[in-house]
């Protein structure tokens, strides 16, 4: 077959305008003929029964169907909105719970850290206190040991100037302690020491700081009767007393005790100076 051969189309051929006009004219003529025939029909002819085409009647269910469909759609939309709202509330509640949990954890961590630091501080303080107690116990042991060993020899060698100093100091035991007083019935620590040494012609400085450097520094394990004891640093002492031998000292302690004689272990001194 030639490539120029006509290929029939499957499309339905369009009716030409002339054919459509012709058919319309034929239909019109037929209707006119029927009308004329009807008018010319005899009076006794059987009446032509009129045919009525009934339209379908909408029942109540059919009429209600569109409204029912709209109501169903509205309910579905409302249900979807409710689900979105519920989900949003759940997410908000979960977020709030997470924030609260983080806040509670941070607070718990802060408290735990504070308790840890407090425990470390207590442990450190207890350790320091234990070391201080051990140090005081060691000082008392040292004082007891050298005081006991030198007690008899101290009593026997307290002669001459040392004996006079000790005798004066012991004679004041029971007097009151008054800050700044130098006797004869009330003393402070350095006032008593100064007055005792003045009896043998030794003029000590007035205050304890100066008395703690007046003379030769001696070790507490090498004390002799008449040595001046001091508490605090040499040159910055806050208290002084007189070693009287036998492991004891005499001093104007404070306003509560007045002038007393006590063992060295009662209040271990820091150092001593020898004037005699």
């Amino acid at each position: 077959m030639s490539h120029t051969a006509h290929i029939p189309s499957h499309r339905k051929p369009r009716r030409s305008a002339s054919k459509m006009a012709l058919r319309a004219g034929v239909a019109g003529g037929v209707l006119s003929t029927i009308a004329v025939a009807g008018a010319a029909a005899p009076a006794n002819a059987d009446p032509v029964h009129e045919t009525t085409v009934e339209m379908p009647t909408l029942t109540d269910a059919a009429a209600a169907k569109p409204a029912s469909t709209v109501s169903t759609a509205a309910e579905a939309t409302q249900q979807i909105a409710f689900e979105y709202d519920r989900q949003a509330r759940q997410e908000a509640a979960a977020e709030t719970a997470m924030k609260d949990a983080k806040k509670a954890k941070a607070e718990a961590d802060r408290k735990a850290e504070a308790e840890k630091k407090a425990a470390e501080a207590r442990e450190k303080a207890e350790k320091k206190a234990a070391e201080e107690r051990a140090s005081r116990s060691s000082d008392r042991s040292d004082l007891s040991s050298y005081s006991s060993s030198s007690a008899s020899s101290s009593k026997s060698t307290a002669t001459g100037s040392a004996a006079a100093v000790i005798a004066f100091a012991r004679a004041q035991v029971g007097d009151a302690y008054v800050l700044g007083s130098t006797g004869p019935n009330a003393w402070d620590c350095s006032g008593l020491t100064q007055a005792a040494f003045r009896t043998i012609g030794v003029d000590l400085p007035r205050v304890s700081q100066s008395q703690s450097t007046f003379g030769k520094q001696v070790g507490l394990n090498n004390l002799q009767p008449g040595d001046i004891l001091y508490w605090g640093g040499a040159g910055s002492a806050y208290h002084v007393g007189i070693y009287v031998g036998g492991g004891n000292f005499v001093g104007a302690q404070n306003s509560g005790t007045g002038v007393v004689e006590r063992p060295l272990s009662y209040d271990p001194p820091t150092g001593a100076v020898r004037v005699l």
Side-chain angles (χ1 to χ4, degrees):
M1 180 183 293
S2 173
H3 67 277
T4 59
H6 176 70
I7 300 175
S9 174
H10 293 284
R11 293 182 180 179
K12 189 175 181 179
R14 293 183 179 179
R15 296 172 182 173
S16 64
S18 59
K19 290 183 179 180
M20 291 179 68
L22 177 60
R23 288 185 180 183
V26 173
V30 172
L31 292 175
S32 298
T33 303
I34 293 172
V36 172
N44 58 355
D46 294 334
V48 178
H49 295 286
E50 192 175 297
T51 303
T52 303
V53 180
E54 295 183 359
M55 297 297 292
T57 303
L58 293 176
T59 62
D60 293 340
K65 187 174 181 180
S68 176
T69 302
V70 172
S71 176
T72 301
E75 290 177 358
T77 302
Q78 184 178 5
Q79 182 65 25
I80 293 173
F82 174 78
E83 289 297 328
Y84 277 134
D85 182 68
R86 183 173 65 83
Q87 184 177 359
R89 289 176 183 272
Q90 288 178 347
E91 291 176 355
E95 185 177 356
T96 300
M98 185 177 295
K99 288 181 179 179
D100 291 343
K102 288 182 178 179
K103 184 177 180 181
K105 184 178 182 302
E107 182 66 16
D109 292 343
R110 185 189 66 78
K111 288 183 178 180
E113 184 66 19
E115 290 177 358
K116 180 181 178 182
K117 290 183 179 180
E120 291 176 350
R122 287 195 299 269
E123 183 178 357
K124 185 177 180 180
E126 290 174 357
K127 183 178 179 181
K128 183 177 180 180
E131 291 175 351
E132 290 177 351
R133 287 194 297 270
S135 178
R136 288 195 296 268
S137 298
S138 177
D139 290 343
R140 290 191 179 102
S141 298
D142 292 343
L143 287 172
S144 297
S145 62
Y146 67 70
S147 295
S148 298
S149 63
S150 62
S152 57
S153 60
S154 295
K155 287 182 180 179
S156 60
T157 56
T159 59
S161 298
V165 169
I166 293 170
F168 180 89
R170 279 177 167 163
Q172 314 312 314
V173 171
D175 286 353
Y177 172 93
V178 177
L179 182 63
S181 295
T182 57
N185 299 314
W187 313 85
D188 65 9
C189 62
S190 56
L192 175 63
T193 305
Q194 185 185 48
F197 276 85
R198 188 174 290 158
T199 61
I200 61 171
V202 176
D203 191 14
L204 295 179
R206 171 65 183 87
V207 296
S208 58
Q209 290 88 346
S210 300
Q211 290 181 9
S212 64
T213 58
F214 189 87
K216 178 184 177 182
Q217 295 285 331
V218 295
L220 294 176
N221 58 352
N222 190 33
L223 294 176
Q224 292 182 4
D227 288 345
I228 299 174
L229 306 173
Y230 63 84
W231 286 256
S236 59
Y238 59 86
H239 183 63
V240 291
I242 299 171
Y243 182 65
V244 296
N248 292 343
F249 72 93
V250 171
Q253 290 298 99
N254 52 61
S255 58
T257 62
V259 180
V260 296
E261 182 174 345
R262 292 285 189 270
L264 295 175
S265 58
Y266 170 78
D267 187 13
T270 304
V273 291
R274 184 164 297 157
V275 178
L276 302 177

